[in-house]
Coordinates of all heavy atoms in Angstrom, one line a residue:
S156 N 60.1 54.4 0.9 CA 61.0 55.1 1.8 C 60.3 56.4 2.3 O 60.0 57.2 1.4 CB 62.3 55.4 1.1 OG 63.0 54.3 0.7
P157 N 60.1 56.5 3.6 CA 59.5 57.7 4.1 C 60.5 58.8 4.2 O 61.6 58.6 4.9 CB 58.9 57.3 5.4 CG 59.7 56.2 5.9 CD 60.2 55.5 4.6
L158 N 60.3 60.0 3.7 CA 61.3 61.1 3.7 C 60.6 62.3 4.3 O 59.4 62.6 4.1 CB 61.8 61.4 2.3 CG 62.6 60.3 1.6 CD1 63.1 60.9 0.3 CD2 63.8 59.9 2.4
L159 N 61.3 63.1 5.1 CA 60.8 64.3 5.7 C 60.6 65.3 4.6 O 61.4 65.5 3.7 CB 61.8 64.9 6.7 CG 61.7 64.4 8.2 CD1 62.8 65.0 9.0 CD2 60.3 64.8 8.8
K160 N 59.4 66.0 4.7 CA 59.1 67.0 3.7 C 60.1 68.2 3.7 O 60.4 68.8 2.7 CB 57.7 67.5 3.8 CG 56.6 66.4 3.6 CD 55.2 66.9 3.9 CE 54.2 65.8 3.7 NZ 52.8 66.3 4.0
K161 N 60.4 68.5 5.0 CA 61.4 69.6 5.2 C 62.4 69.1 6.2 O 62.1 68.4 7.2 CB 60.7 70.9 5.7 CG 59.8 71.5 4.7 CD 59.1 72.8 5.2 CE 58.2 73.4 4.2 NZ 57.6 74.6 4.8
L162 N 63.7 69.5 6.1 CA 64.7 69.1 7.0 C 64.5 69.5 8.4 O 64.9 68.8 9.3 CB 66.1 69.6 6.5 CG 66.6 69.1 5.1 CD1 67.9 69.8 4.8 CD2 66.7 67.6 5.2
N163 N 63.9 70.7 8.6 CA 63.6 71.1 10.0 C 62.3 70.8 10.5 O 61.8 71.3 11.6 CB 63.8 72.7 10.1 CG 62.9 73.4 9.1 OD1 62.3 72.8 8.3 ND2 62.8 74.7 9.2
A164 N 61.5 69.9 9.8 CA 60.2 69.5 10.3 C 60.3 68.5 11.5 O 61.3 67.9 11.7 CB 59.5 68.8 9.1
D165 N 59.2 68.5 12.2 CA 59.1 67.6 13.4 C 59.1 66.2 13.0 O 58.0 65.7 12.4 CB 57.9 68.0 14.3 CG 57.8 67.2 15.5 OD1 58.8 66.4 15.8 OD2 56.8 67.3 16.2
F166 N 60.1 65.4 13.2 CA 60.2 64.0 12.7 C 59.3 63.1 13.5 O 59.2 61.9 13.2 CB 61.6 63.5 12.6 CG 62.4 63.6 13.9 CD1 62.3 62.5 14.8 CD2 63.1 64.7 14.2 CE1 63.0 62.5 16.0 CE2 63.8 64.7 15.4 CZ 63.8 63.6 16.3
E167 N 58.7 63.6 14.6 CA 57.9 62.7 15.4 C 56.5 62.6 14.9 O 55.7 61.8 15.3 CB 57.8 63.2 16.9 CG 59.1 63.1 17.7 CD 59.4 61.6 18.0 OE1 58.5 60.7 17.8 OE2 60.6 61.3 18.3
Q168 N 56.1 63.5 13.9 CA 54.8 63.6 13.3 C 54.8 62.8 12.0 O 55.6 63.2 11.1 CB 54.4 65.0 13.1 CG 54.3 65.8 14.4 CD 53.2 65.3 15.3 OE1 52.2 64.8 14.9 NE2 53.5 65.4 16.6
F169 N 54.0 61.8 11.8 CA 53.9 61.1 10.6 C 53.5 62.0 9.4 O 53.9 61.7 8.3 CB 53.0 59.9 10.7 CG 53.5 58.8 11.5 CD1 53.3 58.7 12.9 CD2 54.3 57.8 10.9 CE1 53.8 57.6 13.6 CE2 54.8 56.7 11.7 CZ 54.6 56.6 13.0
S170 N 52.7 63.0 9.7 CA 52.2 63.8 8.6 C 53.3 64.7 8.0 O 53.1 65.2 6.9 CB 51.1 64.8 9.2 OG 51.6 65.6 10.3
N171 N 54.4 64.8 8.6 CA 55.6 65.5 8.0 C 56.4 64.7 7.1 O 57.4 65.2 6.6 CB 56.4 66.1 9.2 CG 55.8 67.2 9.9 OD1 55.0 67.9 9.3 ND2 56.1 67.4 11.2
F172 N 56.0 63.4 6.9 CA 56.7 62.5 6.0 C 55.9 62.3 4.7 O 54.7 62.4 4.7 CB 57.0 61.2 6.6 CG 58.0 61.2 7.7 CD1 57.7 61.6 9.0 CD2 59.3 60.8 7.4 CE1 58.7 61.6 10.0 CE2 60.3 60.8 8.4 CZ 60.0 61.2 9.7
R173 N 56.7 62.1 3.6 CA 56.0 61.8 2.4 C 56.6 60.5 1.9 O 57.8 60.2 2.0 CB 56.3 62.9 1.3 CG 57.7 63.2 1.0 CD 57.9 64.3 0.0 NE 59.3 64.7 -0.2 CZ 59.9 64.1 -1.2 NH1 59.4 63.3 -2.1 NH2 61.2 64.5 -1.4
P174 N 55.8 59.6 1.3 CA 56.2 58.3 0.8 C 56.9 58.4 -0.6 O 56.4 59.0 -1.5 CB 55.0 57.5 0.7 CG 53.9 58.5 0.5 CD 54.3 59.8 1.1
V175 N 58.1 57.9 -0.7 CA 58.8 57.9 -1.9 C 59.0 56.4 -2.3 O 59.6 55.6 -1.6 CB 60.2 58.5 -1.8 CG1 61.0 58.4 -3.1 CG2 60.1 60.0 -1.4
S176 N 58.3 56.0 -3.4 CA 58.4 54.6 -3.9 C 59.3 54.4 -5.0 O 59.3 55.2 -6.0 CB 56.9 54.2 -4.3 OG 56.5 55.0 -5.3
N177 N 60.1 53.4 -4.9 CA 61.1 53.0 -5.9 C 60.5 51.8 -6.7 O 60.4 50.7 -6.1 CB 62.5 52.7 -5.3 CG 63.1 53.9 -4.8 OD1 62.9 55.0 -5.4 ND2 63.8 53.8 -3.7
L178 N 60.2 51.9 -7.9 CA 59.7 50.8 -8.8 C 60.8 50.1 -9.4 O 62.0 50.6 -9.6 CB 58.8 51.4 -9.8 CG 57.4 51.8 -9.4 CD1 56.7 52.6 -10.6 CD2 56.5 50.6 -9.1
K179 N 60.5 48.9 -9.8 CA 61.5 48.1 -10.7 C 61.7 48.8 -12.0 O 60.8 49.5 -12.5 CB 61.0 46.7 -10.9 CG 60.9 45.9 -9.6 CD 60.4 44.5 -9.9 CE 60.2 43.7 -8.6 NZ 59.7 42.3 -8.9
F180 N 62.8 48.6 -12.6 CA 63.1 49.3 -13.9 C 62.0 48.9 -14.9 O 61.6 49.8 -15.7 CB 64.5 48.9 -14.4 CG 64.8 49.4 -15.7 CD1 65.2 50.8 -15.9 CD2 64.8 48.6 -16.9 CE1 65.5 51.3 -17.1 CE2 65.1 49.1 -18.1 CZ 65.4 50.4 -18.3
L181 N 61.6 47.7 -15.0 CA 60.7 47.2 -16.0 C 59.3 47.8 -15.7 O 58.6 48.2 -16.6 CB 60.5 45.7 -15.9 CG 59.6 45.0 -17.0 CD1 60.0 45.5 -18.4 CD2 59.7 43.5 -16.9
S182 N 58.9 48.0 -14.4 CA 57.7 48.7 -14.1 C 57.7 50.1 -14.6 O 56.6 50.6 -15.1 CB 57.5 48.6 -12.6 OG 57.5 47.3 -12.1
K183 N 58.8 50.8 -14.4 CA 58.9 52.2 -14.9 C 58.8 52.2 -16.4 O 58.3 53.2 -17.0 CB 60.1 52.8 -14.3 CG 60.1 53.1 -12.8 CD 61.3 53.9 -12.4 CE 62.5 53.1 -12.4 NZ 63.7 53.8 -11.8
L184 N 59.4 51.2 -17.1 CA 59.4 51.2 -18.5 C 57.9 51.0 -19.0 O 57.5 51.7 -20.0 CB 60.2 50.0 -19.0 CG 60.7 50.1 -20.5 CD1 61.5 51.3 -20.7 CD2 61.6 48.8 -20.8
I185 N 57.1 50.2 -18.4 CA 55.7 50.0 -18.8 C 55.0 51.3 -18.5 O 54.1 51.7 -19.3 CB 55.1 48.8 -18.0 CG1 55.8 47.5 -18.3 CG2 53.6 48.7 -18.3 CD1 55.3 46.3 -17.5

Side-chain angles (χ1 to χ4, degrees):
S156 301
L158 297 180
L159 270 175
K160 296 177 182 179
K161 296 181 180 179
L162 294 178
N163 58 348
D165 183 6
F166 58 86
E167 290 291 345
Q168 300 295 326
F169 285 93
S170 57
N171 288 330
F172 287 83
R173 60 185 178 91
V175 177
S176 57
N177 292 325
L178 283 168
K179 297 179 181 179
F180 176 76
L181 184 54
S182 301
K183 291 187 287 187
L184 199 59
I185 297 174

